[in-house]
Amino acid sequence: MATVAEVMNSTMDTIPTRMRAMRIHRLGPVKAGRPPLEADFVPVPSPGPAHLLVRVHACGVCHTELDEIEGRTPPAALPMTPGHQVIGTVVAQGESCRLGLLNRRVGVAWIHSACGECRWCTSGRENLCPDFHACGRDAAGGYAEYMTVPESFTHLVPDEIGDLEATPLLCAGAVGYRALSLCHLENGQSLGLTGFGASGHLVLQMAQHLYPDSGIFVFARSQAERKFAADLGANWTGDTSERPGTGLDAIIDTTPAWLPVLAAMEALAPGGRLVINAIRKEGGDRDILASLDYDRHLWREKIMTTVANVTRQDVRECLRLAAEIPLRPHVTAYPLEDANQALLELKQGHIRGAKVLRVP
Ligand SMILES: [Zn+2]
Ligand SMILES: [Zn+2]
């Protein structure tokens, strides 16, 4: 493999040979006194022919990193540099790169590559590709000073969105945008949101912009989340088990539990659609599924689907929409070397505002 200095089209004077990276060396529970990542000093990677070398400015911290470290979606190899909400500048490119991205600011999201040839890739559903590679799990991600990525899997970031505030848009924002797209909502139709975390508050603002005449109904267990939703302009808020007076045309569920799924199916209007935006459901309340009732929960052409990963189109449309709204997520910044602290706080549930690593 060529060294960075041998790669064509690089801004070589600014690229060192080694870099800092916070990497996963072993899997296990994230808890106090057991730092999940190690601070390593490793060679700066060389971009392949169709790859870019990106100098990282910022990388968001996501629950999926906890899933990787704790083994629920383990890295393809160890050690692994996590991070899939990356903003940086392209500082070198392989010889077959043609998109003119050198020196441009780009984002990198969960989709690091897909095969481009299977029936899902060729029908706009590359998120379902059997050869889907996730950034920071199957390929080194953004908890580092530099990373490489296929040229065609980067995203230009609108100038009006800053580095730090752009990072949550690349994951919670883009996945939320996909969930909203899968609702197939028309302006004026009602939308429910079950759970109101990182994705929910971004989706609410996207929905208000795209469907200005639609009522938005937020179901959340926590009083603080309901107040946050109301402050952002939700038309109705209530507990998961409460019922608004009307059947809803679509509901997005972002909770880890099963009770909200049944409650949402019951709350749908005839022909309504439930979109579950969760990587997995926890088993704690699975028994509730035994009370699934055909007439209450399913009949009258109710539809249930899920969201898996994101496509490049989701990421790009989310960024464009965020610039237009304008949508500016609240973030808390940590230096790269404090990644362990950020992960521990995330694990402990300090979730208000997205956490972002700032890379000098
Ligand atoms: Zn994520
Ligand atoms: Zn494919």
Side-chain angles (χ1 to χ4, degrees):
M1 187 183 284
T3 67
V4 173
E6 290 161 353
V7 173
M8 292 169 60
N9 300 324
S10 69
T11 50
M12 281 174 292
D13 50 339
T14 62
I15 305 171
T17 56
R18 297 180 78 80
M19 66 173 189
R20 294 179 304 141
M22 297 296 291
R23 301 197 299 175
I24 306 169
H25 283 252
R26 62 192 192 288
L27 307 188
V30 174
K31 57 185 181 186
R34 186 185 183 284
L37 307 177
E38 291 182 26
D40 292 326
F41 197 59
V42 297
V44 172
S46 294
H51 285 57
L52 305 174
L53 179 67
V54 174
R55 180 170 59 76
V56 178
H57 303 171
C59 183
V61 177
C62 181
H63 264 104
T64 302
E65 271 95 76
L66 300 178
D67 292 330
E68 290 183 36
I69 296 161
E70 297 186 333
R72 290 180 293 275
T73 177
L78 292 173
M80 176 58 68
T81 310
H84 57 265
Q85 310 168 71
V86 190
I87 300 290
T89 298
V90 178
V91 294
Q93 61 184 6
E95 61 270 22
S96 61
C97 289
R98 294 287 179 271
L99 298 179
L101 294 173
L102 196 61
N103 297 315
R104 302 293 302 274
R105 187 173 70 135
V106 296
V108 186
W110 179 242
I111 181 165
H112 191 271
S113 68
C115 82
E117 291 167 1
C118 71
R119 63 192 175 98
W120 292 279
C121 281
T122 53
S123 63
R125 295 182 298 165
E126 60 192 3
N127 59 310
L128 303 179
C129 175
D131 201 25
F132 182 98
H133 282 73
C135 185
R137 185 193 64 187
D138 307 319
Y143 282 36
E145 292 176 300
Y146 293 86
M147 67 174 288
T148 58
V149 61
E151 177 188 45
S152 58
F153 286 82
T154 58
H155 316 286
L156 288 170
V157 182
D159 290 342
E160 50 268 61
I161 307 176
D163 290 343
L164 300 180
E165 61 193 8
T167 63
L169 299 171
L170 295 166
C171 186
V175 179
Y177 177 83
R178 180 165 190 83
L180 189 56
S181 306
L182 291 175
C183 287
H184 300 304
L185 212 62
E186 291 174 16
N187 186 29
Q189 293 185 330
S190 54
L191 173 68
L193 302 174
T194 294
F196 200 66
S199 178
H201 83 279
L202 299 177
V203 170
L204 184 144
Q205 294 169 82
M206 292 184 216
Q208 286 170 325
H209 185 78
L210 292 170
Y211 313 110
D213 302 318
S214 289
I216 300 179
F217 300 74
V218 173
F219 304 82
R221 274 191 313 183
S222 131
Q223 178 83 46
E225 285 179 358
R226 292 201 293 268
K227 175 162 189 323
F228 187 33
D231 290 346
L232 285 174
N235 301 82
W236 178 95
T237 67
D239 196 358
T240 317
S241 54
E242 287 181 60
R243 286 282 158 275
T246 176
L248 303 180
D249 295 302
I251 298 177
I252 298 171
D253 166 44
T254 54
T255 69
W258 287 105
L259 174 66
V261 171
L262 285 196
M265 289 305 286
E266 190 172 355
L268 285 177
R273 187 180 287 260
L274 171 64
V275 178
I276 301 176
N277 175 7
I279 293 177
R280 69 190 55 72
K281 287 287 188 183
E282 291 166 7
D285 68 344
R286 253 187 97 88
D287 293 350
I288 193 107
L289 292 176
S291 63
L292 181 72
D293 181 85
Y294 184 74
D295 186 53
R296 265 167 64 203
H297 299 117
L298 296 172
W299 196 54
R300 296 181 192 85
E301 303 187 357
K302 294 180 181 180
I303 295 163
M304 184 194 300
T305 187
T306 61
V307 179
N309 305 317
V310 286
T311 65
R312 285 170 284 181
Q313 187 180 344
D314 297 322
V315 178
R316 290 166 190 177
E317 289 181 3
C318 173
L319 288 169
R320 188 164 56 233
L321 188 60
E324 185 180 305
I325 291 177
L327 180 56
R328 303 289 183 267
H330 288 283
V331 297
T332 307
Y334 299 72
L336 174 63
E337 56 268 28
D338 287 351
N340 283 318
Q341 182 63 27
L343 287 167
L344 186 62
E345 290 179 13
L346 188 67
K347 170 79 180 188
Q348 292 169 339
H350 305 188
I351 53 167
R352 180 50 61 85
K355 301 183 189 310
V356 182
L357 303 177
R358 191 202 307 265
V359 184

